[in-house]
Amino acid sequence: MVPQAVLDRFYGCGVPLPAGIEGLRVLDLGCGSGRDCYVAAKLVGRRGEVVGLDMTDEQLRVAREHVPEFARALGYQPHLRFVKGYIEFLAQQPELYPGSIDLCISNNAVNLSPNKELVLRSVFEILKEGGEFQFSDIYADRRLPNHVRSHPVLMGECLGGALYTEDFKRLCQRVGFMDARQVNPPAPVRIESPELRDLVGATQFYSITFRLFKFARPSSVLEPTREDYGQVAIYRGTIDGQRARMRFDNQWAFEANRPVLVDGNTAVMLGDSWMQRHFEVRGDRSQHFGGFAADLPPVQYEPWELDHEYEYDVAPALGHADGSVVRRRGILPLPTP
């Protein structure tokens, strides 16, 4: 249903779109031409709302221009709009006041910010209690030296701004997003240009989708470690396309109506966030049984989570002498619309 002109200008590196979000208020950071906003507008339905934010006038023009065509395909007028602004200063937008957003998404945009901590703090502020920030971005397996971080081509290709994954997790904790959860298997970024391969050295880059939850109340605060309180989570089987089994993150997948022993943090994420409509959580934190030591089953992905490959090239105008370009290729788990 997404207009082709919107798809043609898509520069994302993943699919940060959870299913089962009917009726939620969603914000897309660095929305570009709006592809993920259009898909989210379908997923939230008539009662939900989607706001796309970007700083680029031309991208916003394309995003706004094709809403009527999308509305005709849907059969109703979605609550979908696009605003100009900066992802570091979300509260400057009148409609993005503190505690106003259920779900914030972003696709290959946070790494472009020179102040990622400010982005995360800004998102934390505008999320509701139990709200989520789910976003796909490029990460590195080590800290990047200055000559890599400042290289114009690598910056433009979202590699120069890639964070070392462990530094990213520490940054999240400093802001208040405890226990960052990885959603998908890391999708390697393949660099075909010999010139750029020599520049980055042995550094490996990956596209990864993380989900971060905001819990600020003392009764639901997330802990630095996984603790056992004897709590059980039961998936209600209420998400279309995933009624038999749904994946929460890279470790947890829940079969419908099957009780599963979970750690305290997972119990809070499932029972006190926007996801509580899909889960029943039994037990509380009144009795502690020590560190969570339950053996989780090996990570298993459904075929539909693994058979969506993506590959795209940057413009040959980069000017490499051998005509080679940077190409990205990976496996993306896609929600069922």
Side-chain angles (χ1 to χ4, degrees):
M1 293 183 178
V2 179
Q4 190 60 45
V6 172
L7 296 174
D8 289 342
R9 291 166 176 80
F10 171 65
Y11 302 112
C13 66
V15 186
L17 288 162
I21 61 174
E22 295 86 355
L24 297 190
R25 190 162 191 251
V26 179
L27 170 67
D28 184 1
L29 302 187
C31 65
S33 64
R35 190 208 73 161
D36 288 349
C37 291
Y38 279 77
V39 178
K42 165 66 174 174
L43 294 175
V44 300
R46 296 173 184 266
R47 297 182 298 107
E49 179 185 359
V50 178
V51 178
L53 180 140
D54 202 273
M55 67 178 186
T56 310
D57 289 324
E58 177 60 21
Q59 291 282 65
L60 289 171
R61 182 192 66 78
V62 173
R64 292 166 177 155
E65 189 174 90
H66 296 278
V67 172
E69 176 186 347
F70 183 61
R72 288 192 294 271
L74 285 176
Y76 61 88
Q77 184 64 41
H79 299 292
L80 170 62
R81 67 183 187 278
F82 298 92
V83 298
K84 184 176 181 179
Y86 296 94
I87 62 177
E88 297 89 352
F89 306 105
L90 298 178
Q92 292 182 355
Q93 302 293 326
E95 61 266 70
L96 301 179
Y97 49 89
S100 62
I101 296 296
D102 297 295
L103 172 67
C104 185
I105 62 175
S106 185
N107 202 335
N108 212 20
V110 175
N111 68 72
L112 293 173
S113 172
N115 193 332
K116 298 173 180 59
E117 180 171 347
L118 190 56
V119 174
L120 291 175
R121 291 191 182 281
S122 188
V123 172
F124 193 88
E125 180 183 11
I126 56 96
L127 281 178
K128 296 179 180 179
E129 177 75 7
E132 178 184 357
F133 184 25
Q134 182 167 155
F135 66 107
S136 304
D137 228 318
I138 304 297
Y139 297 88
D141 68 348
R142 65 198 67 194
R143 297 179 182 128
L144 302 179
N146 288 336
H147 72 276
V148 172
R149 290 192 286 114
S150 60
H151 191 276
V153 174
L154 294 177
M155 283 296 297
E157 282 305 297
C158 303
L159 300 181
L163 278 177
Y164 170 46
T165 49
E166 298 306 314
D167 284 345
F168 163 73
K169 294 174 184 177
R170 282 186 281 268
L171 177 59
C172 290
Q173 292 178 351
R174 189 158 68 242
V175 169
F177 286 119
M178 305 296 291
D179 200 359
R181 297 296 179 93
Q182 183 177 321
V183 177
N184 64 315
V189 175
R190 187 172 66 201
I191 301 177
E192 294 192 339
S193 164
E195 173 190 348
L196 294 182
R197 281 204 304 268
D198 288 343
L199 188 65
V200 302
T203 303
Q204 299 294 311
F205 295 92
Y206 300 92
S207 169
I208 302 175
T209 300
F210 280 100
R211 62 192 320 170
L212 314 173
F213 288 89
K214 175 183 176 178
F215 293 106
R217 297 173 186 158
S219 60
S220 58
V221 67
L222 299 179
E223 299 180 276
T225 56
R226 307 280 179 91
E227 301 299 323
D228 188 354
Y229 297 95
Q231 294 168 289
V232 170
I234 304 173
Y235 171 48
R236 304 180 194 272
T238 48
I239 298 178
D240 288 341
Q242 302 176 38
R243 292 190 177 275
R245 183 175 181 267
M246 71 83 63
R247 174 168 301 283
F248 175 65
D249 60 19
N250 217 29
Q251 291 183 314
W252 296 97
F254 296 89
E255 292 184 28
N257 303 313
R258 180 178 181 179
V260 178
L261 180 67
V262 296
D263 63 273
N265 283 355
T266 300
V268 170
M269 292 175 185
L270 299 177
D272 294 341
S273 74
W274 69 266
M275 297 191 70
Q276 63 184 287
R277 67 177 77 176
H278 301 299
F279 282 87
E280 175 189 355
V281 175
R282 298 175 181 173
D284 54 31
R285 293 188 178 186
S286 59
Q287 186 172 0
H288 182 226
F289 298 99
F292 189 77
D295 292 330
L296 299 180
V299 176
Q300 295 181 345
Y301 290 93
E302 301 287 354
W304 64 267
E305 294 179 289
L306 296 174
D307 63 2
H308 295 274
E309 294 189 356
Y310 73 95
E311 180 175 309
Y312 65 92
D313 298 337
V314 300
L318 286 175
H320 300 308
D322 60 358
S324 61
V325 294
V326 179
R327 175 174 295 165
R328 299 175 186 163
R329 182 179 181 87
I331 305 296
L332 300 178
L334 300 177
T336 302

